[in-house]
């Protein structure tokens, strides 16, 4: 049987197949190869004579996050309020870069548009080539557009406390029957007392990942990007890479830098460039051995 892992905890894996949902263990060969099945993995399952089920194969992964462990994520949605709390663009840019680094499509959802205009913020990221949505959680305006973007996809949401992530999810997926003050029990847990990941199947065939780590804004939990890899994680930089005067250009202060010239010409938003420079300075302090031992 072929299926998808929808829950992984304590060495047991719940796999959804066309024949039903089965609790499985993984073959020992995966441990020898230092491969761990994770939620989102497409797997092949067999039934043993005693009725137990075993994962035999893990399909090729399109993407993989280690913390929280999640494979084949199609979309990572960043929910950001226009105000209350004030948006932290550096933090947002860090998350977007990590999504790009992991080959996961980032989308941004700006909430509270009834309180503060989102036009200027939305324009920054649309110019960067990132899909942006603007929603009013009180009226539900805009939530249907977000929902349409997730159809048939494996998606996860991240957002700081108070940005309206819970209300957005409720507006989009009322079938989950999540009261706003109870959202932490199923999606976007507030306290994160559990560490396992779980997928919730939606009516359209897609999945929402319930991932404890996604409400933590410690970006090092997701992955670490070294300085030489950072520029390619800013999608609006790519057409200028390789066009600088110096082949080893850091795109932070050099003369003849095509990226800096694009910023001066208004082709790259200043806030995005500022985030890149700060992230680059931080990345310069990283050592590879620290990453490998993390």
């Amino acid at each position: 049987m072929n299926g998808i892992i929808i829950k992984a905890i304590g060495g047991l894996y719940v796999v959804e197949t066309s024949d039903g949902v089965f609790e499985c263990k993984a073959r020992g060969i995966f441990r020898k190869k230092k491969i761990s099945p994770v939620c989102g993995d497409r797997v092949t399952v067999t039934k043993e004579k005693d009725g137990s089920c075993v994962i035999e194969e893990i399909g090729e992964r399109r993407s993989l996050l280690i913390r929280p462990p999640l494979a084949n994520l199609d979309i990572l949605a960043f929910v950001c309020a226009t105000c209350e709390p004030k948006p932290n663009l550096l933090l947002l840019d860090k998350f977007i870069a990590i999504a790009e680094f992991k080959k996961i499509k980032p989308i941004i959802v700006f909430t509270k548009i009834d309180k503060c205009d989102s036009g200027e913020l939305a324009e920054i990221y649309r110019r960067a080539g990132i899909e942006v949505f603007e929603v009013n959680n009180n009226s539900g305006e805009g939530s249907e557009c977000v929902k349409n973007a997730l159809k048939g996809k494996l998606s996860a949401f991240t957002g700081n406390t108070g940005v309206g992530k819970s209300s957005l999810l409720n507006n989009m997926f009322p079938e989950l029957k999540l009261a706003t003050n109870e959202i932490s029990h199923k999606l976007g847990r507030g306290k994160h007392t559990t560490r396992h990941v779980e997928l919730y199947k939606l009516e359209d065939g897609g999945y929402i990942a319930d991932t404890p780590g996604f409400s933590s804004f410690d970006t090092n939990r997701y992955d670490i990007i070294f300085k030489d890899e950072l520029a390619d994680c800013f999608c609006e930089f790519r057409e200028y890479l390789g066009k600088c005067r110096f082949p080893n250009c850091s795109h932070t202060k050099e003369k003849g830098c095509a990226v800096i010239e694009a910023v001066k010409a208004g082709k790259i938003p200043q806030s995005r460039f500022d985030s890149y420079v700060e992230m680059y300075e931080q990345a310069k302090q990283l050592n590879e051995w620290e990453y490998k031992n993390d």
Side-chain angles (χ1 to χ4, degrees), residues 232-268:
D232 197 50
C233 298
F234 281 70
C235 53
E236 67 269 51
F237 287 18
R238 291 173 191 159
E239 65 177 290
Y240 305 104
L241 301 181
K243 299 179 181 178
C244 301
R245 180 186 299 177
F246 304 108
N248 61 343
C249 186
S250 70
H251 318 297
T252 58
K253 58 187 177 183
E254 294 88 345
K255 291 183 178 180
C257 172
V259 171
I260 292 175
E261 290 302 316
V263 175
K264 291 179 179 177
K267 296 176 181 178
I268 293 176

Side-chain angles (χ1 to χ4, degrees), residues 21-42:
V21 177
F22 302 91
E23 190 174 271
C24 310
K25 290 187 176 182
R27 290 286 185 207
I29 188 67
F30 296 120
R31 192 178 307 110
K32 291 180 181 179
K33 293 181 177 180
K34 297 183 178 180
I35 299 172
S36 297
V38 299
C39 272
D41 268 328
R42 298 287 177 174

Side-chain angles (χ1 to χ4, degrees), residues 75-82 105-113 118-119 121-123 125-126 130-136 141-150 157 168 172:
I75 292 174
L76 186 47
F78 304 96
V79 184
C80 184
T82 56
K105 179 181 178 179
I107 68 172
I108 303 173
V109 183
F110 286 113
T111 59
K112 303 187 181 180
I113 62 172
S118 56
L121 287 169
E123 180 62 17
Y125 292 95
R126 288 193 177 116
I130 298 166
E131 194 167 5
V132 178
F133 300 89
E134 300 163 82
V135 304
N136 177 344
E141 175 191 352
S143 61
E144 193 65 26
C145 293
V146 181
K147 184 177 180 179
N148 288 337
L150 307 180
F157 284 73
L168 172 64
M172 291 191 296

Side-chain angles (χ1 to χ4, degrees), residues 81-236:
T82 56
C83 57
E84 299 175 9
K86 182 180 178 181
N88 184 330
L89 298 190
L90 173 61
L91 198 56
L92 180 58
D93 291 336
K94 283 183 176 182
F95 271 112
I96 292 169
I98 290 169
E100 295 277 6
F101 184 62
K102 304 299 288 188
K103 310 300 181 187
I104 300 167
K105 179 181 178 179
I107 68 172
I108 303 173
V109 183
F110 286 113
T111 59
K112 303 187 181 180
I113 62 172
D114 52 317
K115 293 185 177 182
C116 299
D117 182 68
S118 56
E120 187 175 339
L121 287 169
E123 180 62 17
I124 290 172
Y125 292 95
R126 288 193 177 116
R127 283 174 56 201
I130 298 166
E131 194 167 5
V132 178
F133 300 89
E134 300 163 82
V135 304
N136 177 344
N137 283 333
N138 291 325
S139 66
E141 175 191 352
S143 61
E144 193 65 26
C145 293
V146 181
K147 184 177 180 179
N148 288 337
L150 307 180
K151 280 187 177 178
K153 306 293 186 182
L154 172 50
S155 308
F157 284 73
T158 182
N160 204 359
T161 302
V163 298
K165 180 176 62 175
S166 305
S167 297
L168 172 64
L169 288 165
N170 279 327
N171 285 334
M172 291 191 296
F173 308 114
E175 68 270 20
L176 293 178
K177 299 178 181 178
L178 300 171
T180 302
N181 60 353
E182 297 173 353
I183 198 88
S184 62
H185 298 299
K186 286 203 174 183
L187 292 173
R189 293 186 181 89
K191 295 183 179 179
H192 300 317
T193 54
T194 178
R195 295 184 178 274
H196 73 271
V197 178
E198 189 168 354
L199 303 185
Y200 287 89
K201 191 170 186 178
L202 305 173
E203 290 179 345
D204 61 22
Y207 295 86
I208 290 287
D210 174 13
T211 53
F214 276 131
S215 72
S216 168
F217 271 44
D218 174 11
T219 53
N220 285 352
R221 288 178 57 84
Y222 295 79
D223 215 327
I224 293 174
I225 306 171
F226 291 101
K227 60 183 176 65
D228 294 337
E229 302 168 305
L230 184 61
D232 197 50
C233 298
F234 281 70
C235 53
E236 67 269 51

Side-chain angles (χ1 to χ4, degrees), residues 1-4 6 14-24 42-47 51 53 201 207:
M1 298 178 290
N2 295 320
I4 181 173
I6 60 172
V14 179
V15 179
E16 180 183 278
T17 75
S18 58
D19 295 326
V21 177
F22 302 91
E23 190 174 271
C24 310
R42 298 287 177 174
V43 296
T44 301
V45 174
T46 58
K47 266 190 175 182
C53 293
K201 191 170 186 178
Y207 295 86

